[in-house]
Amino acid sequence: MKSNTEIGNKTRFERAFFLKEVRENPTFDIIIIGGGATGLGVALDAASRGFRTLLLEQADFAKGTSSRSTKLIHGGVRYLGQGDIKLVYEALFERGILLKNAPHVVNMQPFVIPNYKWWGEFLYGVGLKIYDWMAWRYRFPKTALLGRKTVEKLLPNVRKDGPKGGVLDYDGQFDDARLAVNIAQTSADLRGILINYMRVTDLLKDAQGRICGVKAEDIEGGERFLLNAKAVVNATGVFVDDVLKMNSPTQEPMVRPSQGVHVVLDKSFLEGDNALMIPSTEDGRVLFAVPWHEHLLVGTTDTPLDKHSLEPVALENEVEFILKTLRGYLVKKPQRKDVLSIFAGLRPLAAQGNLNGKTKEISRSHKLMTSPSGLVTITGGKWTTYRKMAEDTVDEAIRVAGLDKIECKTTTLKIHGFSTNGSDKGHLQIYGSDAARILALAKERPELSRQLHCAFPYIAAEVVWAVRNEMARTVEDILARRLRALFLNASVAMEMAPAVAELMAAEMNRDRAWQELQVKEFSRLAAHYLGQETRKAGVQEIN
């Protein structure tokens, strides 16, 4: 099987090429609806087994929940307390695989839990040692019990009045949107076809009522497609019920969204490389304060919602809850004015109760369901277990569609950009093996070596690279997901927008009107991340 890199120039990850492929041969083994972590994982698994694979995403890859995580690859310590040993073991195994297959974008992160009660060291220390043991051959450095002075040294900004000691633990950290792009590229390297800004408008059924494809519309150009498939996978996260209703208007809801909110602060609030773990907040959740891209990321909340949207907006009480909790642990007390960016994501929590069709609950973290028509739906889960979820889903698609029984290959499959030697590339090391190509582009065109803004190390060559090689189509795609400026400092991101729009326009042959519209739309979006809409909303739900 030839890869896309062997077909010709500029065919590996280019939207125009993928559209041409779809026009010329609109028949596939598997079509996946949804370009978040789950859908991308399914596309990678299916393509790696040799199936003709197509993924369609209505917006940008990882536009929704998959770019709005706490940036942790972890087993889930809190599930130990709930007795879900199987889930924790599975997640720890997957954590190890991810670190092995994508070391350029996944790394080990030390966490410190300061204990302010005499029993804390015993409780958390014992639990985390069990956590270590369960990781087995994929074990990170061992959990260590700390004295008071060591805690203060590792967390110099933690409040000094009364910690009895603490616990040092290690887990995984990553850049979610960058990993999503790399997974998409890996699938494309294996001849998978992935198209963003392509909306599925309906499902196709044969005379027997079996799913046999989808109707889709190119949002950019308006072109409509009838696409045939032996299997169709619904991997749309909080939107799974919308697709299920295309299949059966009487379908009961399968998910209920839960909103998680994060705030980003200047790194001065928690100096050093160690993250702070708050094991039990007022609402019983774990709160993390994690160094990320030279900033401090703090979250998350858990607010049940009755509605969903592509761009959820944080509630003011969620932001205040995070700040209030953090103020109880730090010397420097973060205030509302210190927040640089706020972002909200919706978790697709699998609904309880009876579900139409055949339902298989793989674990408490995700559900896999096959409707009588043959539509395969996967929902729930988390980033850490995306690979296992994909494996289960493709296995089910093989069974439903009668495809060749080919074994999963992703356990040892290196993710695009794989590199263990990126420390000399500065902030570009997250691109892995692609970093050298970005540097070569900047050397070839010296004007592209300029910094986009003094607050960030990003250079103009990264914008050009993202358009040419990462299917970025809008200013938002660049500043939110290819570069992470919007998630780190929304005000600075707004200042960067005109320069980014100009660079993109030159690459995409867009006019001045396009640039102005892009900047206007991005500025409107950035208002949510600045919290302007949050303050207006108070405790009202916005969708």
Side-chain angles (χ1 to χ4, degrees):
M1 178 180 65
K2 290 183 179 180
S3 71
N4 281 339
T5 57
E6 298 173 295
I7 298 172
N9 294 329
K10 296 183 69 177
T11 58
R12 182 170 55 190
F13 201 62
E14 185 183 83
R15 194 172 188 272
F17 169 75
F18 289 147
L19 286 171
K20 181 174 179 289
E21 284 272 287
V22 168
R23 291 187 194 104
E24 293 179 352
N25 185 359
T27 300
F28 299 87
D29 292 316
I30 299 177
I31 291 178
I32 301 109
I33 310 171
T38 305
L40 291 169
V42 175
L44 174 56
D45 188 293
S48 69
R49 300 196 205 197
F51 297 123
R52 181 165 165 78
T53 303
L54 171 66
L55 178 144
L56 303 175
E57 163 56 43
Q58 66 172 329
D60 184 30
F61 304 117
K63 156 72 175 177
T65 304
S66 297
S67 62
R68 303 159 189 269
S69 73
T70 314
K71 323 306 177 193
L72 300 179
I73 296 294
H74 60 142
V77 176
R78 65 192 178 99
Y79 296 120
L80 269 183
Q82 298 171 5
D84 198 337
I85 304 301
K86 181 178 180 295
L87 173 59
V88 176
Y89 182 81
E90 178 182 276
L92 288 171
F93 178 77
E94 294 298 327
R95 180 189 71 173
I97 289 175
L98 253 175
L99 184 63
K100 183 176 67 172
N101 291 340
H104 61 294
V105 74
V106 180
N107 60 275
M108 284 191 291
Q109 171 64 53
F111 289 83
V112 175
I113 306 175
N115 297 322
Y116 289 90
K117 298 181 180 179
W118 65 269
W119 45 262
E121 182 175 300
F122 173 79
L123 179 64
Y124 304 132
V126 170
L128 289 169
K129 284 185 179 296
I130 294 173
Y131 188 71
D132 288 346
W133 174 79
M134 290 177 65
W136 192 43
R137 60 188 171 127
Y138 291 117
R139 184 179 300 165
F140 282 17
K142 292 183 179 180
T143 294
L145 301 181
L146 307 174
R148 177 179 59 82
K149 290 185 178 179
T150 305
V151 170
E152 293 176 357
K153 180 179 179 180
L154 294 178
L155 295 176
N157 301 77
V158 76
R159 83 173 209 255
K160 305 298 190 294
D161 54 331
K164 311 297 182 184
V167 179
L168 173 66
D169 183 46
Y170 293 82
D171 233 319
Q173 187 187 44
F174 76 136
D175 187 309
D176 46 13
R178 289 234 54 89
L179 179 58
V181 169
N182 286 160
I183 292 171
Q185 291 171 311
T186 313
S187 179
D189 290 341
L190 297 166
R191 283 202 91 176
I193 297 174
L194 306 95
I195 306 177
N196 54 2
Y197 296 100
M198 178 78 87
R199 179 188 296 117
V200 171
T201 57
D202 206 351
L203 302 175
L204 300 178
K205 294 184 180 181
D206 61 20
Q208 288 72 44
R210 299 283 297 177
I211 298 290
C212 62
V214 304
K215 294 180 181 180
E217 181 179 2
D218 179 7
I219 294 174
E220 285 194 6
E223 186 176 0
R224 296 180 180 181
F225 297 85
L226 294 178
L227 305 168
N228 305 306
K230 297 173 183 176
V232 174
V233 174
N234 174 14
T236 53
V238 295
F239 296 94
V240 295
D241 290 330
D242 297 347
V243 177
L244 285 169
K245 285 190 177 297
M246 291 181 190
N247 177 57
S248 174
T250 60
Q251 169 73 48
E252 291 294 320
M254 189 175 178
V255 302
R256 186 185 182 192
S258 172
Q259 179 163 283
V261 168
H262 297 81
V263 302
V264 177
L265 303 166
D266 186 84
K267 195 178 178 182
S268 62
F269 284 92
L270 189 66
E271 296 173 352
D273 298 324
N274 299 291
L276 167 67
M277 181 192 297
I278 300 173
S280 183
T281 62
E282 289 179 0
D283 68 349
R285 289 190 60 80
V286 176
L287 193 74
F288 298 98
V290 187
W292 189 64
H293 290 310
E294 300 303 316
H295 289 71
L296 184 66
L297 174 69
V298 190
T300 182
T301 59
D302 187 11
T303 305
L305 299 179
D306 293 322
K307 299 179 181 180
H308 57 258
S309 71
L310 267 174
E311 196 60 58
V313 178
L315 306 179
E316 185 61 36
N317 59 336
E318 293 177 298
V319 176
E320 182 52 39
F321 169 79
I322 291 172
L323 295 175
K324 178 184 176 183
T325 302
L326 195 58
R327 283 195 288 265
Y329 283 80
L330 300 183
V331 172
K332 186 179 179 182
K333 311 293 184 184
Q335 305 300 319
R336 187 63 177 77
K337 63 181 176 60
D338 297 313
V339 176
L340 302 177
S341 187
I342 304 165
F343 61 91
L346 301 182
R347 306 179 193 90
L349 302 182
Q352 301 299 314
N354 295 326
L355 295 168
N356 293 340
K358 180 181 177 183
T359 304
K360 180 182 180 184
E361 184 166 348
I362 308 300
S363 74
R364 289 178 63 181
S365 61
H366 62 277
K367 284 184 182 290
L368 182 61
M369 180 187 88
T370 300
S371 302
S373 64
L375 177 66
V376 177
T377 296
I378 178 71
T379 191
K382 58 181 181 176
W383 249 116
T384 305
T385 57
Y386 90 93
R387 191 209 63 82
K388 175 60 175 169
M389 293 168 65
E391 178 182 348
D392 293 336
T393 304
V394 175
D395 284 346
E396 179 68 359
I398 289 172
R399 184 194 69 79
V400 170
L403 299 171
D404 292 340
K405 293 183 179 179
I406 303 171
E407 294 298 317
C408 176
K409 303 178 185 299
T410 55
T411 305
T412 57
L413 181 62
K414 306 303 183 189
I415 300 299
H416 181 99
F418 175 89
S419 174
T420 57
N421 184 25
S423 59
D424 61 335
K425 301 296 191 299
H427 81 281
L428 295 177
Q429 65 181 302
I430 202 165
Y431 291 91
S433 59
D434 284 338
R437 297 173 65 188
I438 297 172
L439 290 171
L441 177 61
K443 184 176 181 180
E444 177 187 336
R445 293 175 54 187
E447 73 274 14
L448 296 182
S449 63
R450 77 176 190 275
Q451 207 169 333
L452 291 170
H453 194 285
C454 62
F456 288 116
Y458 308 128
I459 60 175
E462 293 177 78
V463 178
V464 174
W465 173 265
V467 173
R468 292 182 181 179
N469 300 285
E470 296 182 349
M471 283 175 68
R473 309 299 297 173
T474 70
V475 168
E476 180 198 337
D477 295 348
I478 297 286
L479 290 174
R481 288 171 292 279
R482 304 309 185 275
L483 312 179
R484 304 314 303 270
L486 178 61
F487 284 75
L488 296 170
N489 190 320
S491 292
V492 171
M494 291 175 70
E495 294 173 10
M496 294 168 67
V500 170
E502 184 177 0
L503 286 163
M504 294 186 75
E507 282 295 310
M508 300 170 66
N509 195 27
R510 306 296 193 192
D511 59 18
R512 185 69 184 175
W514 181 88
Q515 295 182 52
E516 292 174 353
L517 180 60
Q518 282 289 305
V519 172
K520 181 179 180 181
E521 290 180 346
F522 182 78
S523 297
R524 186 183 302 117
L525 172 70
H528 298 313
Y529 291 74
L530 285 169
Q532 294 174 3
E533 294 299 323
T534 307
R535 283 191 287 274
K536 293 176 184 176
V539 296
Q540 298 297 313
E541 178 182 324
I542 298 178
N543 282 286

